[in-house]
Amino acid sequence: MTPNQPGQAPKLPIAGVKNLVAVGSGKGGVGKTTVSVNLAVGLASLGYKVGLLDADVYGPNVPLMMGINKTPMAFGERIQPLEQFGVKIMSMGFLSPGDKPLVWRGPMLYSVIQQFLRGVDWGELDYLVIDLPPGTGDVQLSLIQTAPVTGAIVVTTPSDVSLEDARKAIHMFHQVRVPILGIVENMSFLICPHCSERIDVFSHGGGLRTAKQMDVHFLGELPLDPQIRIGGDSGQPIVLRKGEGEAFLTLARNAVARVDEVGKEQGPKIEIGE
Amino acid sequence: MTPNQPGQAPKLPIAGVKNLVAVGSGKGGVGKTTVSVNLAVGLASLGYKVGLLDADVYGPNVPLMMGINKTPMAFGERIQPLEQFGVKIMSMGFLSPGDKPLVWRGPMLYSVIQQFLRGVDWGELDYLVIDLPPGTGDVQLSLIQTAPVTGAIVVTTPSDVSLEDARKAIHMFHQVRVPILGIVENMSFLICPHCSERIDVFSHGGGLRTAKQMDVHFLGELPLDPQIRIGGDSGQPIVLRKGEGEAFLTLARNAVARVDEVGKEQGPKIEIGE
């Protein structure tokens, strides 16, 4: 009933990819994909070379939120990622478009994720953002045990229920020795579009409080803004909009800074298969 | 890549349990557990004998939302469920309290779920409400293939992203021949507590539209109300509050009516192991 020990499988580097940033959450529906998409597009708009791997194989929402859904081509044995808003993208949604559910068992999922990590022609990337499935299950564990993840971002809402699950996710990353870049509190507050008063729909401040309790960084608050949801539903990430996307650009800058810090804490990277 | 055929394992009835109602969602964070908890407590307050099985093994939020967390006792080989607000409850959260994540693999999960279904002393129940994990994965498939599920409720928000995943969940239930009791649109709208204007945070109307498109019933809209979240975070389900819980009582009545309809559509129950 304990997780596998870290280091069972060697964490082979992915050629050309400098940093792997995993975006996870204990609970679904907290905005993990919204954060992943806007972080990736935000990093690209800051001038970095960026990829986005949608590892949420059961609910791949990246194609909808990025406004792109075509069948990727393969040259030789390498799958070519699609590209949108300057970000190279791979998603299960490209391979099984439509409403049919994937009811795959664990081992098959594992091989798909490995294919996405190592069988895709990512090229030279500063950041490969991985949108993990929510929770602390099979796919998450397999992925972070076999991929050289630089650090993880944990997304939560301020509600106690979401925070309860976020703590579980942080423990999971600790157990498999993936550094936590920080916690993001999403849906932090809503500004009423009618009266401009602030509404704490899902409470407020729990992300920062949890970060302090668990001694991890806090990467910031993101508002509950209908425009963010509209951006997602329409395939136009809000970070692209001047002014309105500022919160996500700040998040991207904070993530870059934390990746640098984590790199220094760990010293030079020497891969000796653990 | 296709799911297992239905009927591989016999759907043995659970002694004493008249109806199994599964509450699922394509996406997490849409309020599936909020619906499960308030449905179960609502059914109990309408006079039915009710159990609540928290099958969301990775993120068991039922203990927090029901305001109860103790270690269940076992008499002989039967686990005694806990009881709160007139509802018998079993949850993984009772067995692994605290923040430690469960990073179990599929087969182990399967046996835990079977234990919860058949090793718990549920007694005589009119309704056993099952809070499924979000999505269309291993646990969902195992459970609905081996349990005699009377019907399923699919919870969604009105956002396109959530609806995309809800359609997948409906397809999954169709594939394994579990009747759909209906779709619930949660977080349908927010009434600003300051100016009383209505805010469609996650859009509006997609649940009904999807129900019509997919020829399934629509069980109603539930508001995005900070009081519902506060009820969940404080372990006092909102359905218990006079007046404020009316939407959930209506949902409970609709569910009862749909279970009756489904029973008539299928004729008398004769279990011959399919």
Side-chain angles (χ1 to χ4, degrees), chain A residues 1-4 26-31 33 58-61 64-65 69 96 98-108 134-139 141-142 145 158-162 164-165 167-169 171-172 175 187 190-195 197-204 214 224-226 229 232-234, chain B residues 1-4 26-30 33 56 58-61 64-65 69 96 98-108 134-139 141-142 145 158-162 164-165 167-169 171-172 175 187 190-195 197-204 214 224-226 229 232-234:
Chain A
M1 303 220 181
T2 53
N4 295 353
K27 193 171 164 55
V30 298
T33 304
Y58 287 124
N61 298 133
L64 182 64
M65 288 197 190
N69 201 342
S96 68
D99 296 336
K100 296 286 178 244
L102 283 174
V103 278
W104 296 3
R105 305 288 181 171
M108 198 175 272
T136 53
D138 263 24
V139 177
L141 194 65
S142 297
Q145 281 185 322
S159 85
D160 288 347
V161 168
S162 174
E164 180 176 53
D165 294 348
R167 285 192 292 271
K168 289 201 174 87
H171 276 295
M172 176 186 71
Q175 283 183 340
M187 307 192 195
L190 172 69
I191 303 298
C192 176
H194 305 292
C195 69
E197 289 278 344
R198 179 184 163 123
I199 313 170
D200 287 344
V201 180
F202 296 107
S203 183
H204 177 246
M214 301 195 74
L224 175 60
D225 177 353
R229 192 263 312 154
D233 281 356
S234 63
Chain B
M1 302 221 183
T2 54
N4 295 352
K27 192 173 163 55
V30 298
T33 304
D56 195 346
Y58 287 123
N61 298 132
L64 182 66
M65 288 197 189
N69 201 343
S96 67
D99 296 336
K100 296 288 177 239
L102 283 173
V103 277
W104 297 2
R105 305 287 180 172
M108 197 176 273
T136 55
D138 263 24
V139 177
L141 194 66
S142 296
Q145 280 185 324
S159 84
D160 287 347
V161 168
S162 174
E164 179 176 54
D165 294 348
R167 285 192 293 270
K168 290 202 173 88
H171 277 294
M172 176 186 71
Q175 283 184 339
M187 307 190 196
L190 171 70
I191 303 298
C192 175
H194 305 291
C195 69
E197 290 278 343
R198 178 184 165 122
I199 312 170
D200 288 343
V201 181
F202 296 107
S203 182
H204 177 247
M214 300 195 72
L224 175 60
D225 177 352
R229 191 263 314 158
D233 280 355
S234 63

Side-chain angles (χ1 to χ4, degrees), chain B residues 68-82:
Chain B
I68 188 167
N69 201 343
K70 294 185 284 191
T71 305
M73 309 284 284
F75 293 135
E77 295 194 341
R78 308 286 285 175
I79 304 167
Q80 300 303 306
L82 301 185

Side-chain angles (χ1 to χ4, degrees), chain B residues 7-20:
Chain B
Q8 284 190 334
K11 295 191 180 187
L12 294 172
I14 299 170
V17 177
K18 284 188 195 146
N19 296 292
L20 254 77

